[in-house]
Amino acid sequence: EEQLLESGGGLVQPGGSLRLSCAGSGFTFSSYAMSWVRQVPGKGLEWVSRITGSGDTKFYVDSVKGRFTISRDNPVNMVYLQMNSLRAEDTAVYYCAKDEGGWLPGRLWGQGTLVTVSS
Amino acid sequence: QSVLTQPPSASGTPGQRVNISCSGSTSNIGSKTVNWYQLLPGTAPKLIVYADTRRPSGVPDRFSGSKSGTSASLAISGLQSEDEADYYCAAWDDSVNGAVFGGGTQLTVL
């Protein structure tokens, strides 16, 4: 069974850092690009970042460029989101997702992890 | 302000058909495929339409997608109470070099 499991969320002060992790299983991890998508409580979905299967190409939404870094470790089926210089507006539930056609998240999503940026 | 424009709300009675629109531009919907996701409170998004018109296995054929030019649409026929949810369209956008979501449409089954 295919599965994604996020971890690493929590409460952090503005300006702080946090690293989210996403463990994949049940599929050939290195064959798929992976994305992070977030949802601010009570608001809509926002795509955050994408990394190709090999890890050699990365994309970011403008609001996180220079602050967030996506990476992956294929031998252990993990994708990460390093978040630095966090702001209150980064408070959201963060989901990792397996990309399928159209360079978009497909059927497989994690359960989400809540990041709260507050003093 | 989302790059893809959806109506904030839609409604229908059980058994009716509802349509949710998603308007974009040549850099996204006009040249890329569209996915639709269903979001229920407290749960991860669920893919209900991909590649403009295709349904993942397990999604009822009451859900259908279409696209014309720079607009896409999700149709739900035979509306059921369990369809009450938020629906989002998404596409890759070459001008921002990233994926973009619509603002979401809250569907109410009256």
Side-chain angles (χ1 to χ4, degrees):
Chain A
E1 180 191 1
E2 296 187 348
Q3 193 171 9
L4 294 172
L5 187 63
E6 301 102 335
S7 60
L11 174 64
V12 61
Q13 291 189 337
S17 298
L18 213 53
R19 188 178 85 154
L20 305 183
S21 301
C22 173
S25 60
F27 62 99
T28 305
F29 190 77
S30 61
S31 295
Y32 292 91
M34 298 292 293
S35 285
W36 288 94
V37 176
R38 65 186 178 185
Q39 183 182 22
V40 173
K43 302 288 186 181
L45 297 173
E46 180 182 40
W47 172 85
V48 174
S49 184
R50 180 182 192 265
I51 186 168
T52 54
S54 63
D56 59 358
T57 306
K58 305 170 186 181
F59 304 89
Y60 301 94
V61 68
D62 280 350
S63 60
V64 308
K65 284 180 182 174
R67 300 189 298 124
F68 290 12
T69 302
I70 191 170
S71 62
R72 65 190 297 157
D73 188 344
N74 284 340
V76 294
N77 291 358
M78 296 289 294
V79 62
Y80 306 100
L81 188 67
Q82 177 66 44
M83 304 185 295
N84 299 331
S85 303
L86 282 162
R87 306 167 180 167
E89 54 264 35
D90 295 317
T91 294
V93 175
Y94 285 73
Y95 297 97
C96 67
K98 174 189 169 193
D99 279 14
E100 294 173 343
W103 289 23
L104 296 171
R107 283 159 278 204
L108 185 62
W109 294 66
Q111 84 289 353
T113 187
L114 176 62
V115 172
T116 303
V117 184
S118 175
S119 54
Chain B
Q1 191 91 7
S2 302
V3 173
L4 303 182
T5 301
Q6 297 180 235
S9 63
S11 64
T13 57
Q16 268 191 333
R17 175 188 172 99
V18 296
N19 289 285
I20 298 172
S21 61
C22 176
S23 178
S25 66
T26 54
S27 64
N28 43 66
I29 293 177
S31 57
K32 304 296 181 186
T33 58
V34 177
N35 284 4
W36 289 89
Y37 305 89
Q38 179 191 62
L39 193 58
L40 292 164
T43 68
K46 176 184 177 182
L47 181 70
I48 53 171
V49 168
Y50 69 99
D52 301 335
T53 61
R54 306 187 70 173
R55 266 188 320 274
S57 60
V59 173
D61 59 7
R62 303 186 294 103
F63 293 86
S64 62
S66 62
K67 190 174 83 172
S68 178
T70 59
S71 292
S73 184
L74 174 71
I76 310 172
S77 59
L79 202 59
Q80 299 181 4
S81 58
E82 58 259 38
D83 299 333
E84 191 163 281
D86 293 333
Y87 292 86
Y88 293 84
C89 58
W92 188 262
D93 190 311
D94 282 336
S95 67
V96 301
N97 220 16
V100 290
F101 281 90
T105 298
Q106 184 176 52
L107 175 64
T108 301
V109 181
L110 302 169

